């Protein structure tokens, strides 16, 4: 999907983020300094990051990257991996802006540059600054990889479209990262998803219900939702 760039978006960027430059319109590419002023609860943060935003074929959202190494510097200072900083190392060190399902839900919708920046880009960099100062993420976080994909499903209402799209997301993630999709599809075909079995999302060997229990809860919710809408795998 291509972001819609209209006259209002151009004016919005000039007024609110004048240090961001539209270097290419089709496909879209924006780069420069993101200067923001944002608030979560009572904490107001003013900060800036050097970023690059560009359309990538096959993706719903544009790829957003921080190119000034600010995040990498914080990771080193706090002895964190880039993945721990919500950076997709498997995708050119791009920002992890939201869950794969949330991105998928926008696939058939129009998304303006203004909405994308205000709803996803600024909050991502706000949380980076918040973490740098407070050593905690302002609105929590999902686990890494397949664990986070599963956990994210718990945040969505039971709707048929969501169920079908999440099954696509789950399969696409497994294919992309060479994970055995049958490990999850077979669970969904069982009468009961047993928490006493070994955890399938990691190599701990611990019972699922004692290891990554949110991923177990999510798969059970998915199975129940599939039954409600008679969705087959």
């Amino acid at each position: 999907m291509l972001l819609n760039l209209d006259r209002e978006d151009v004016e919005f960027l000039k007024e609110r983020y004048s240090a961001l430059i539209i270097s290419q319109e089709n496909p879209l590419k924006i780069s420069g300094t993101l200067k923001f002023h944002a608030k979560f609860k009572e904490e107001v943060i003013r900060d800036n990051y050097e970023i690059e935003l560009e359309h990538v074929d096959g993706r719903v959202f544009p790829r957003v990257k921080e190119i000034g190494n600010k995040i990498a510097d914080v990771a080193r200072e706090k002895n964190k991996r880039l993945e721990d900083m919500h950076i997709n190392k498997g995708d050119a060190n791009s920002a992890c802006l939201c869950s794969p399902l949330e991105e998928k839900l926008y696939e058939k919708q129009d998304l303006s540059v203004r909405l994308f920046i205000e709803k996803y880009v600024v909050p991502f960099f706000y949380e980076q600054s918040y973490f740098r100062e407070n050593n905690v993420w302002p609105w929590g976080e999902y686990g890494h990889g397949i664990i986070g994909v599963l956990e994210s499903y718990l945040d969505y209402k039971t709707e048929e479209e969501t169920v079908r799209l999440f099954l696509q997301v789950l399969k696409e993630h497994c294919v992309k990262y060479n994970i055995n999709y049958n490990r999850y599809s077979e669970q969904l075909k069982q009468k009961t998803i047993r928490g006493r079995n070994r955890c399938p999302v990691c190599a701990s060997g611990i019972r699922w219900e004692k290891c990554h229990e949110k991923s177990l809860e999510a798969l059970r919710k998915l199975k129940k939702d599939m039954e409600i809408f008679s969705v087959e795998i």
Side-chain angles (χ1 to χ4, degrees), residues 146-158:
I146 190 68
I147 298 168
V149 172
L150 289 168
E151 289 175 350
S152 70
Y153 187 70
L154 294 172
D155 292 336
Y156 291 88
K157 294 179 180 178
T158 298

Side-chain angles (χ1 to χ4, degrees), residues 155-172:
D155 292 336
Y156 291 88
K157 294 179 180 178
T158 298
E159 297 177 349
E160 184 174 355
E161 180 189 22
T162 303
V163 173
R164 294 186 182 279
L165 285 177
F166 186 76
L167 286 170
Q168 289 180 36
V169 165
L170 181 60
K171 188 170 185 177
E172 288 170 3

Side-chain angles (χ1 to χ4, degrees), residues 4 35 40 44 48 50 69 76 82 85 89 98 101 106 116 140-141 145 154 159 161-162 167 173 176 194 199 226:
N4 295 319
K35 298 179 180 180
F40 173 71
V44 176
N48 62 84
E50 295 297 317
N69 293 322
R76 281 192 294 271
L82 279 178
M85 303 299 292
K89 286 190 71 177
C98 65
L101 177 56
Y106 270 101
F116 181 66
E141 60 181 328
L154 294 172
E159 297 177 349
E161 180 189 22
T162 303
L167 286 170
H173 183 89
K176 182 176 180 179
R194 299 183 180 278
C199 181
M226 289 171 64

Side-chain angles (χ1 to χ4, degrees), residues 59-75:
R59 291 175 61 109
V60 179
F61 283 180
R63 176 186 287 153
V64 177
K65 295 192 294 184
E66 191 258 325
I67 56 178
N69 293 322
K70 224 173 181 180
I71 295 173
D73 289 343
V74 173

Side-chain angles (χ1 to χ4, degrees), residues 27-89:
L28 181 66
K29 186 172 183 178
I30 298 173
S31 58
T33 306
L34 175 72
K35 298 179 180 180
F36 66 86
H37 170 201
K39 179 180 179 180
F40 173 71
K41 292 184 178 178
E42 297 305 317
E43 182 143 1
V44 176
I45 292 178
R46 293 178 175 84
D47 211 340
N48 62 84
Y49 291 83
E50 295 297 317
I51 73 167
E52 182 178 271
L53 180 158
E54 63 179 339
H55 168 78
V56 177
D57 288 340
R59 291 175 61 109
V60 179
F61 283 180
R63 176 186 287 153
V64 177
K65 295 192 294 184
E66 191 258 325
I67 56 178
N69 293 322
K70 224 173 181 180
I71 295 173
D73 289 343
V74 173
R76 281 192 294 271
E77 178 187 327
K78 296 182 180 293
N79 196 29
K80 296 287 187 180
R81 301 174 302 166
L82 279 178
E83 296 97 314
D84 298 328
M85 303 299 292
H86 304 168
I87 297 295
N88 293 314
K89 286 190 71 177

